[in-house]
Amino acid sequence: MAQIDDLPPLREVIAEHGLDARKSLGQNFLLDLNLTSRIARSAGDLSDCTVIEVGPGPGGLTRALLAAGAKKVIAIEKDRRCLPALFEIAEHYKGMLEVIEGDALKCNPADFADGSVKIIANLPYNVGTQLLLGWLTTDEWPPFWDSLTLMFQKEVGQRIVSDTGDKAYGRLGVLANWRCHTDILFDLNPKAFTPPPKVTSAVVQLHPREKPLACPLKALAQVTAHAFGQRRKMLRASLKSLKPDAEARIEAAGLKPTSRAEEIDVTGFIALAHSFNRD
Ligand code: SAM
């Protein structure tokens, strides 16, 4: 691919700033501009929205987002070694990139939200699921973000888009698909990263459902944790410890106590959450 900007190649940036990748920070950098540009493009038109990027690292995806015409990028990075490289990008794209040094788990991106927001990130694998859960469980719905375009380990991506009958179907699939439309857009070979991770990655996209069925979130978390925690067991056994009259509550939800978690679709889990939430 032709250059996307006049900034130095990423390998030079990494060498100049001594950004040797640290496993503890989930650092697998994406240096291929074709791929960073593909991720940026897959998030749609960015010209009228604020992009929140978690973990910009040396700035490969950040540069692709800006080159793709993002109105504004807010990049949250925990590793302060990356900041000088990011400030160089901010200098090049004056007023369009705001760099925030910090732990994305501890800051609330809703505080930075201004108008339409898209979250786009090659997430650090060690905290990716936790971040996603935070974005999926906001009190307000529709949430502050319009879409999430996120890179995960493929296995996590499969759990996010999973449905009944899929091997990967579990708590994450129920939660994600209750509130969002979910898709895996494409896979990335480990060789695309520096250093290469052990597994294939996937870019996943989530769009909030406008009116997901009302559901008590805490009860949904409880019933899915118990049901999938013992997924081979029938619901009457796996949910027994939640309430003494579990079997009656399962029936009140319109489900068979002899069913197993993997057979219950999202609507079924929502009915269970309501049923187990009652006094
Ligand atoms: N975006 C870059 C790319 O695509 O090459 C780097 C992606 S790398 C997989 C993950 C990045 O997240 C690293 O730069 C790492 O330092 C950063 N990171 C790790 N934990 C973080 C956290 N809790 N908050 C913010 N950034 C974090």
Side-chain angles (χ1 to χ4, degrees):
M1 171 181 253
Q3 263 186 253
I4 59 168
D5 54 39
D6 298 332
L7 288 158
L10 282 163
R11 285 189 195 282
E12 268 179 37
V13 173
I14 288 173
E16 190 193 329
H17 297 285
L19 302 180
D20 51 302
R22 297 203 172 143
K23 210 173 166 188
S24 60
L25 285 165
Q27 291 182 336
N28 300 98
F29 299 132
L30 200 47
L31 309 184
D32 181 335
L33 294 176
N34 286 303
L35 292 174
T36 51
S37 298
R38 187 171 176 200
I39 297 171
R41 278 197 313 273
S42 68
D45 183 9
L46 305 178
S47 62
D48 199 25
C49 69
T50 300
V51 175
I52 296 180
E53 185 193 3
V54 173
L61 180 57
T62 320
R63 285 163 61 172
L65 293 166
L66 289 160
K71 187 174 83 173
K72 169 124 195 164
V73 177
I74 298 178
I76 307 167
E77 176 56 61
K78 190 174 174 185
D79 184 356
R80 58 169 42 193
R81 295 178 311 153
C82 297
L83 301 183
L86 295 168
F87 290 143
E88 280 169 21
I89 304 172
E91 183 58 31
H92 185 81
Y93 286 96
K94 280 198 180 13
M96 293 165 75
L97 171 63
E98 189 178 331
V99 180
I100 295 176
E101 181 195 349
D103 184 340
L105 288 171
K106 293 188 186 144
C107 51
N108 181 8
D111 295 343
F112 315 121
D114 180 18
S116 166
V117 169
K118 292 184 176 180
I119 301 181
I120 307 173
N122 172 10
L123 288 177
Y125 288 153
N126 40 359
V127 294
T129 311
Q130 209 179 330
L131 286 166
L132 174 63
L133 286 174
W135 297 327
L136 286 175
T137 54
T138 54
D139 289 337
E140 303 247 318
W141 204 269
F144 66 92
W145 46 269
D146 292 343
S147 66
L148 306 175
T149 304
L150 307 171
M151 176 116 60
F152 288 98
Q153 288 158 286
K154 185 173 179 187
E155 172 265 325
V156 178
Q158 285 168 331
R159 282 167 47 207
I160 294 168
V161 303
S162 66
D163 199 349
T164 46
D166 297 338
K167 227 167 82 191
Y169 186 50
R171 297 164 62 184
L172 194 54
V174 172
L175 185 62
N177 292 290
W178 160 44
R179 282 191 145 177
C180 294
H181 301 279
T182 63
D183 283 301
I184 290 187
L185 300 187
F186 54 91
D187 293 348
L188 277 100
N189 191 294
K191 285 190 210 139
F193 299 87
T194 305
K198 288 202 177 72
V199 292
T200 300
S201 301
V203 175
V204 181
Q205 197 160 62
L206 298 95
H207 289 99
R209 292 182 192 275
E210 229 172 272
K211 288 190 181 153
L213 291 172
C215 183
L217 191 53
K218 209 167 146 205
L220 182 64
Q222 274 182 337
V223 291
T224 51
H226 278 74
F228 286 107
Q230 305 177 70
R231 58 193 300 144
R232 294 265 141 246
K233 289 198 175 164
M234 294 176 187
L235 291 180
R236 68 176 174 213
S238 59
L239 301 183
K240 197 167 66 181
S241 60
L242 268 181
K243 296 262 164 122
D245 53 349
E247 194 152 340
R249 286 175 188 266
I250 297 165
E251 278 170 350
L255 300 169
K256 285 198 218 131
T258 50
S259 298
R260 293 178 168 78
E262 59 208 17
E263 299 161 347
I264 309 299
D265 63 12
V266 173
T267 318
F269 273 109
I270 290 169
L272 276 176
H274 282 293
S275 185
F276 277 79
N277 197 42
R278 280 182 210 115
D279 289 333

